[in-house]
Amino acid sequence: WWCERGGCGNCPQPLYSILTEVGFLTVVSCSNPCILFFPARIYRCWHIMKNIVVLISGRGSNFKSIYETSVREYWEDRYGIKIAGVISNIADAAGLEYARSSGIPNCVVDHKQFPTREAFEKALIEKTEGYGADLIVLAGFMRILTFVFLDRYKGKILNIHPSLLPSFPGLHTHQRALDAGVRIHGATVHFASDVLDGGAIIGQAAVPVFADDDADKLAARVLTQEHILYPIAVRLCATDKVRLVGKRAKMDLEASKELAIL
């Protein structure tokens, strides 16, 4: 955060400062170099904000959990990140109503109005760029993305999948987990890639599988963990604590501990 607080006393130029975690303004430059400390009373600030754009197709429960976490944890003030827009390819997606009620800019890009996937994605990119997207979050977005979109935001697209990848990519994951007799199931956040559910794994949350489970019971248990895992992954990626390097997600020890939910 760059802040202007009037002159420093040594020169008539504005004093540009950084708000530190301990709540003080540290002067880093003016016409006469100096380092001073002031109480954290900010007169004017320009946030170096990173914008998250969420893509949905339905109810947007993961979008809702991300947004509510961002408000509860003061992401905009603490980390300089915010949800700048929500885009749906379905006009009556329930998640859009939640976005409207929360005051989040939103729009519809209906894939049925375009002759090809590529044409749809070019229109989608116009909207994401309009929201100044630094990070794309897929939250129940039911379209397979092509190179047009993936290349534009390489290493900046997150997806969540209801299984412990690489096990059970694709659809019907909960029933397939039951059919396979696994004792542990869960959810995975990963970078989107041109391989369906095959991008670099960012984080995972595991749940037990019980003898009386059916697909609905198991899905509900996994969804609860999705709502915990996805906001953590979004925050860490938006703040560059997790990055795509080659074909792997790179992170420090602290981030790795947050992203392993057992």
Side-chain angles (χ1 to χ4, degrees):
W1 299 16
W2 289 97
C3 304
E4 181 180 338
R5 198 181 185 280
C8 71
N10 296 326
C11 66
Q13 299 301 317
L15 191 75
Y16 294 98
S17 313
I18 292 176
L19 179 63
T20 71
E21 291 183 1
V22 295
F24 289 89
L25 294 176
T26 304
V27 179
V28 294
S29 68
C30 64
S31 61
N32 293 323
C34 56
I35 298 177
L36 304 171
F37 295 92
F38 295 95
R41 182 181 177 189
I42 304 168
Y43 288 79
R44 295 166 59 189
C45 286
W46 293 269
H47 298 250
I48 305 174
M49 191 65 62
K50 283 194 173 181
N51 293 325
I52 300 164
V53 175
V54 183
L55 306 188
I56 64 173
S57 294
R59 60 182 177 174
S61 71
N62 271 307
F63 150 56
K64 182 178 179 181
S65 71
I66 293 165
Y67 174 70
E68 290 180 349
T69 300
S70 75
V71 173
R72 185 171 63 252
E73 296 180 353
Y74 304 101
W75 284 9
E76 190 168 344
D77 293 333
R78 292 176 64 187
Y79 307 113
I81 56 178
K82 69 175 182 178
I83 297 179
V86 177
I87 304 173
S88 177
N89 64 311
I90 305 296
D92 60 353
L96 285 177
E97 181 55 39
Y98 181 81
R100 295 184 191 106
S101 67
S102 301
I104 302 171
N106 60 88
C107 67
V108 176
V109 181
D110 186 347
H111 63 279
K112 297 189 295 294
Q113 302 301 313
F114 299 89
T116 64
R117 288 183 183 273
E118 290 77 10
F120 164 67
E121 289 178 14
K122 288 178 181 178
L124 192 61
I125 288 170
E126 288 185 9
K127 295 297 185 181
T128 56
E129 289 183 341
Y131 290 133
D134 297 296
L135 185 72
I136 305 293
V137 175
L138 308 181
F141 185 64
M142 303 305 290
R143 301 295 297 172
I144 296 176
L145 296 168
T146 74
F147 71 94
V148 173
F149 197 87
L150 293 173
D151 286 354
R152 170 63 183 81
Y153 292 105
K154 184 175 177 61
K156 298 296 181 181
I157 307 173
L158 307 188
N159 192 28
I160 191 163
H161 181 73
S163 80
L164 295 176
L165 292 172
S167 296
F168 312 121
L171 300 175
H172 311 300
T173 61
H174 309 303
Q175 187 59 53
R176 289 161 62 198
L178 291 171
D179 293 343
V182 300
R183 299 273 60 85
I184 299 293
H185 189 43
T188 302
V189 177
H190 62 94
F191 286 108
S193 75
D194 57 358
V195 178
L196 180 64
D197 301 323
I201 292 172
I202 296 168
Q204 294 183 306
V207 302
V209 181
F210 299 126
D212 64 346
D213 276 340
D214 58 23
D216 290 338
K217 285 183 180 179
L218 189 54
R221 192 175 304 127
V222 170
L223 186 61
T224 298
Q225 295 304 305
E226 289 183 31
H227 292 167
I228 297 170
L229 173 66
Y230 214 178
I232 294 171
V234 170
R235 168 174 53 81
L236 291 173
C237 289
T239 54
D240 295 322
K241 300 294 186 181
V242 178
R243 297 176 295 110
L244 181 65
V245 179
K247 295 184 178 181
R248 295 285 301 275
K250 296 295 185 181
M251 65 195 76
D252 61 17
L253 178 60
E254 182 178 349
S256 72
K257 289 180 178 179
E258 286 197 76
L259 289 165
I261 300 175
L262 303 174

